[in-house]
Amino acid sequence: MKIATWNINGVKARIDNLTQWLKDSDPDIACLQEIKTIDEGFPSLEIQALGYHVETHGQKGFNGVAILSKSKPDEVNRGLPGDPRDEQARFLEAVFSLPGNRVARVCCLYLPNGNPVDSEKYPYKLAWMERLRKFATERLAFEEILILAGDYNVIPEPHDCFNPSVWQNDALFLPQTRQAFRKLGGLGLTDAVRATTDAVQLYSFWDYQAAAWQKNNGIRIDHLMLSPEAADRMTSTSIDKHVRAWEKPSDHVPVVANFDFSA
DNA sequence: ATGCCCCCGGTTCGGGGA
């Protein structure tokens, strides 16, 4: 089973790229972030025509997440628990049946950017990460196949960016940000890509500005975090870097993990 | 030190992104 995460940066502007990638890459489950539309505006027909079920948690203009899947989930939950006043659409959970009375629980998340650091946005990011830690703790207790996939807006380590010095005071790389990410690892979650390769200059985002793509000035901020039950069955990962060179690309590319969930 | 570039809503600019 192939599970991917991709910050699409506007699904309506990116529908041709998305359908082409779905045809090429053929994921079983795709977690999308920054769909930037209300649920009613999501181009579901084009996606359903390719054989995918569509679940969305959108809002007007920005944020918004979606899960595309070849099988219909048994259960879907919208929003990250822990703050009823939080109206930003950044989290979607779907539970899929597997043979042998087992499930795969997949969460699609768009973690807040947090810049500028001296604004209310950084405390919101850290509070969101703490809510995610609590959520993960509760879900890990189920001892299920659990995959937390999305745009984490976290550069975990210096080698996850082209030039660490420029990120030193950025919300994506501050010590507190990285510490909060490490806490997820401490719970027993595995970073799928980093568990399968030591490669350097492995990125999932290149800024549109200053010819970042051409210079390979990227960062690795899109992650699939796996419970032990999922990590034990992971067979490989890949990053679909080539889509960044397509016309009208997202600034992020799909990050993919493959699993053998046979009994 | 700042902007580079892109999407959205809805109009020719501001909010937001990273």
Side-chain angles (χ1 to χ4, degrees):
Chain A
M1 181 176 278
K2 185 172 193 172
I3 302 181
T5 179
W6 189 12
N7 181 321
I8 195 80
N9 188 17
V11 71
K12 287 181 283 190
R14 215 71 64 202
I15 185 61
D16 291 342
N17 285 28
L18 176 57
T19 53
Q20 187 63 51
W21 173 74
L22 288 171
K23 288 178 201 166
D24 293 349
S25 189
D26 197 34
D28 295 287
I29 299 172
C31 298
L32 304 179
Q33 301 86 37
E34 283 206 271
I35 61 173
K36 295 189 177 181
T37 177
I38 54 175
D39 295 334
E40 293 75 16
F42 194 93
S44 298
L45 291 178
E46 290 93 325
I47 308 301
Q48 288 162 349
L50 297 175
Y52 287 91
H53 182 85
V54 177
E55 293 289 345
T56 62
H57 180 39
Q59 70 180 93
K60 195 174 177 178
F62 58 107
N63 299 329
V65 288
I67 298 179
L68 317 180
S69 56
K70 289 189 176 172
S71 67
K72 184 177 157 77
D74 301 325
E75 179 188 336
V76 176
N77 300 303
R78 289 172 174 76
L80 180 64
D83 183 358
R85 292 166 306 173
D86 185 359
E87 293 180 349
Q88 299 191 31
R90 295 178 173 276
F91 194 88
L92 182 60
E93 175 183 42
V95 184
F96 299 91
S97 291
L98 295 176
N101 202 26
R102 296 173 303 150
V103 301
R105 188 179 292 271
V106 177
C107 300
C108 175
L109 65 99
Y110 176 43
L111 207 149
N113 174 301
N115 285 307
V117 170
D118 59 2
S119 73
E120 75 289 343
K121 292 183 180 181
Y122 192 56
Y124 173 67
K125 176 178 191 155
L126 292 177
W128 206 95
M129 294 185 84
E130 175 59 14
R131 284 163 61 196
L132 180 62
R133 189 191 66 78
K134 285 183 178 152
F135 175 87
T137 302
E138 292 171 12
R139 288 294 185 260
L140 283 164
F142 295 167
E143 300 186 352
E144 294 170 341
I145 291 165
L146 171 70
I147 297 158
L148 304 177
D151 176 357
Y152 279 72
N153 271 312
V154 175
I155 301 166
E157 301 288 342
H159 59 264
D160 292 314
C161 59
F162 188 79
N163 184 359
S165 64
V166 305
W167 295 99
Q168 216 62 47
N169 298 308
D170 193 282
L172 278 62
F173 193 58
L174 280 174
Q176 268 188 286
T177 305
R178 294 173 56 201
Q179 178 182 41
F181 186 79
R182 279 198 304 276
K183 284 187 180 179
L184 298 176
L187 298 177
L189 291 167
T190 296
D191 177 344
V193 167
R194 206 39 96 192
T196 47
T197 177
D198 289 328
V200 295
Q201 299 197 351
L202 200 61
Y203 307 129
S204 64
F205 168 92
W206 296 260
D207 200 302
Y208 289 119
Q209 302 182 66
W213 166 246
Q214 286 77 7
K215 296 187 239 177
N216 197 28
N217 181 8
I219 54 180
R220 192 176 72 89
I221 57 175
D222 299 274
H223 310 299
L224 295 105
M225 299 296 283
L226 313 179
S227 71
E229 291 77 8
D232 286 354
R233 294 167 176 80
M234 177 176 59
T235 52
S236 64
T237 64
S238 59
I239 298 181
D240 287 345
K241 186 177 176 176
H242 62 282
V243 307
R244 186 64 177 79
W246 286 357
E247 277 192 51
K248 260 190 95 180
S250 169
D251 38 8
H252 298 248
V253 299
V255 179
V256 180
N258 292 291
F259 300 88
D260 180 359
F261 288 146
S262 59

